[in-house]
Amino acid sequence: MRPMPSEFEIIRRHFSRAAPSAMVGVGDDCALVRSKPGMTLAVTTDMLVEGTHFPAGSDACRLGHKSLAVSLSDLAAMGADPRWGLLSLALPAADDNWLSAFSEGFYSLAARYGVDLIGGDTTRGPLAISVTLIGEVPVELALRRDGALAGDDIWVSGSTGEAALALAALSGRIALAEPFISQCLARLETPEPRVELGGRLRGLAHSAIDVSDGLLADLGHILEMSGAGAEVSYELLPRAPAIASCDDAELVRECLAGGGDDYELLFTAPPARRADVDALSADLGLALTRIGSVVPGEAKTRLLDMQGNALALARSGFDHFR
Ligand code: ADP
Ligand code: MG
């Protein structure tokens, strides 16, 4: 197939910044990299498709940020240090302004976490962005989904639900005033991956996952892989100001527990380490909230109200094919 005429020009202009940590970066058939002794590679890929993951006409700079952020969040959830990235783009047209803004959003977040862009692919097609990241972690310290033990505390970073609340506002389900609408849109469009937290949870957390499909759905993945159940107190779920101010109780519950696009870390740790988790929270300036515990039995979560009664949820998470 004939490549889009300016394919090489696009790569040269927008995606060829120096990659000092690679032996060979953009420009050859493969990139060549060397990992640090004693480290295992952690590899992840994510795809963002226009119309599915973001609306047509989304801001290019923020898209560049988010397409990298979602993969950084996966490395964080594994406790891995980010190292190298590959970026594959399907573009409807070679729009220089769009590409400049997109690459700026991508490279500025990459610089913050020491990611070198070392390759990718560029083709014509409906707008789609795929980012592959390679990180490093000592293999015995990787934060896996299958390490939760009955008795563990369940913790979540930051707060959940604002991205979903932004979607509810965009779809007209609720009206959101300032400053809440801006706060929620920022969470939706420029999420902050919890990279430092992931690295610091090595040797502290028994298991971890990033919250991308909804808090309870993602907790469910830990439970299935670990062969245990969970009890979570609804009242303990951390609430951002926009969520706390929303008076639609049903929507709040959906957003908090099942919203998606949160990119917080959910992790389990033994109760003996509570003081260490609190100290880490203070050190990072990031809320870490204990929301429940892992219990023996079926891989199910009981969401409890203040009286200890089970609460029902209409929808516990996002699934593209449901
Ligand atoms: P090939 O024909 O071997 O697939 P390409 O012509 O697709 O090579 O790409 C040329 C070089 O540019 C390769 O090093 C590739 O990894 C890199 N590259 C292509 N597209 C991108 C992109 N969007 N971002 C970063 N690097 C890219
Ligand atoms: Mg190619």
Side-chain angles (χ1 to χ4, degrees), residues 156 159-160 215-216 231-240 243-244 249 252-253 256-257 289-292 302-311:
V156 67
S159 59
T160 59
L215 182 71
L216 293 188
E231 286 181 358
V232 169
S233 296
Y234 181 63
E235 294 306 318
L236 294 181
L237 298 184
R239 288 154 169 81
I243 293 279
V252 163
R253 195 187 296 181
L256 270 178
T289 307
R290 188 155 52 84
I291 60 169
R302 286 185 0 114
L303 188 64
L304 305 174
D305 67 13
M306 277 194 288
Q307 284 73 44
N309 300 315
L311 288 166

Side-chain angles (χ1 to χ4, degrees), residues 131-200:
V131 172
T132 300
L133 286 185
I134 305 169
E136 292 182 317
V137 62
V139 67
E140 70 285 0
L141 296 181
L143 305 174
R144 301 164 48 134
R145 295 180 179 184
D146 63 4
L149 297 175
D152 277 359
D153 293 325
I154 300 170
W155 298 83
V156 67
S157 66
S159 59
T160 59
E162 281 172 290
L165 199 58
L167 287 179
L170 292 175
S171 75
R173 181 166 167 193
I174 50 150
L176 260 189
E178 289 295 354
F180 302 131
I181 183 65
S182 298
Q183 291 164 359
C184 291
L185 282 173
R187 288 298 302 262
L188 178 67
E189 295 180 339
T190 50
E192 280 298 320
R194 304 305 188 190
V195 176
E196 296 93 345
L197 173 62
R200 298 281 294 275

Side-chain angles (χ1 to χ4, degrees), residues 41-272:
L41 299 181
V43 185
T44 182
T45 194
D46 271 291
M47 183 148 77
L48 298 187
V49 176
E50 184 178 74
T52 302
H53 300 91
F54 58 89
S58 290
D59 179 81
C61 182
R62 293 196 283 267
L63 263 183
H65 173 104
K66 183 165 180 176
S67 58
L68 177 57
V70 300
S71 288
L72 281 170
S73 181
D74 282 319
L75 287 185
M78 215 70 196
D81 303 327
R83 298 293 311 272
W84 304 290
L86 296 142
L87 170 65
S88 295
L89 290 173
L91 302 169
D95 176 341
D96 237 14
N97 290 330
W98 191 94
L99 284 160
S100 293
F102 178 87
S103 66
E104 190 48 43
F106 185 96
Y107 273 114
S108 34
L109 183 60
R112 280 174 50 201
Y113 291 115
V115 172
D116 278 341
L117 182 64
I118 58 169
D121 199 24
T122 306
T123 179
R124 190 197 290 273
L127 184 59
I129 305 153
S130 170
V131 172
T132 300
L133 286 185
I134 305 169
E136 292 182 317
V137 62
V139 67
E140 70 285 0
L141 296 181
L143 305 174
R144 301 164 48 134
R145 295 180 179 184
D146 63 4
L149 297 175
D152 277 359
D153 293 325
I154 300 170
W155 298 83
V156 67
S157 66
S159 59
T160 59
E162 281 172 290
L165 199 58
L167 287 179
L170 292 175
S171 75
R173 181 166 167 193
I174 50 150
L176 260 189
E178 289 295 354
F180 302 131
I181 183 65
S182 298
Q183 291 164 359
C184 291
L185 282 173
R187 288 298 302 262
L188 178 67
E189 295 180 339
T190 50
E192 280 298 320
R194 304 305 188 190
V195 176
E196 296 93 345
L197 173 62
R200 298 281 294 275
L201 287 175
R202 290 180 194 164
L204 175 52
H206 279 162
S207 67
I209 191 168
D210 71 319
V211 182
S212 55
D213 295 332
L215 182 71
L216 293 188
D218 288 315
L219 174 58
H221 297 312
I222 286 188
L223 300 177
E224 274 156 34
M225 302 278 284
S226 300
E231 286 181 358
V232 169
S233 296
Y234 181 63
E235 294 306 318
L236 294 181
L237 298 184
R239 288 154 169 81
I243 293 279
S245 76
C246 177
D247 52 19
D248 182 338
E250 192 185 327
L251 177 62
V252 163
R253 195 187 296 181
E254 273 176 43
C255 289
L256 270 178
D261 252 2
D262 297 302
Y263 305 106
E264 295 293 353
L265 294 188
L266 181 74
F267 58 95
T268 77

Side-chain angles (χ1 to χ4, degrees), residues 7-8 10-11 15-16 25-31 86-89 107 117-122:
E7 179 188 333
F8 299 103
I10 290 173
I11 299 165
F15 301 110
S16 295
V26 168
D28 213 315
D29 297 309
C30 291
L86 296 142
L87 170 65
S88 295
L89 290 173
Y107 273 114
L117 182 64
I118 58 169
D121 199 24
T122 306

